[in-house]
Amino acid sequence: RADLGSGISIVAPGDGPDASVVREFDVVRLDESLRRLAHLDPRKAEVVTLQYFGGLEQDAIADVVGISRATVARELAFARAWLTSDMRERDPEDAR
């Protein structure tokens, strides 16, 4: 579900009983944060890209990248936390 403002709503895998969570993101800030992550750790950025933009499940990501499913899960958990923190740090509304 997308809106016409600067953000976009995406359905992301959730950790709770629901299979997914709808989150609002500023696409430009997300892209910038993902580029910063790729600079720091290219594999984590690749794993995120394969899941969220490629639509791959963790088993498929493991096969594509050549790592275990457990490593994919760890990489995704770290990357989600890092991206969330990075985007929050650079949120112009937080600067007010």
Side-chain angles (χ1 to χ4, degrees):
R1 180 183 103 199
D3 70 21
L4 299 176
S6 64
I8 186 169
S9 294
I10 63 169
V11 177
D15 297 326
D18 295 332
S20 61
V21 177
V22 176
R23 296 188 176 124
E24 187 81 14
F25 285 109
D26 180 321
V27 178
V28 173
R29 282 190 317 132
L30 176 59
D31 181 60
E32 291 168 353
S33 289
L34 193 53
R35 287 174 191 264
R36 281 189 289 278
L37 178 61
H39 180 73
L40 296 171
D41 193 324
R43 187 171 76 186
K44 283 180 178 60
E46 179 182 17
V47 168
V48 168
T49 300
L50 289 170
Q51 182 171 54
Y52 291 100
F53 301 106
L56 297 182
E57 298 289 330
Q58 290 185 13
D59 290 330
I61 295 168
D63 289 341
V64 168
V65 179
I67 57 179
S68 72
R69 186 183 188 289
T71 299
V72 169
R74 283 191 302 272
E75 302 271 288
L76 285 170
F78 177 91
R80 277 193 296 259
W82 190 93
L83 289 166
T84 299
S85 174
D86 188 69
M87 289 177 68
R88 201 171 279 144
E89 284 178 13
R90 288 165 171 72
D91 186 353
E93 291 184 19
D94 285 348
R96 294 181 201 177

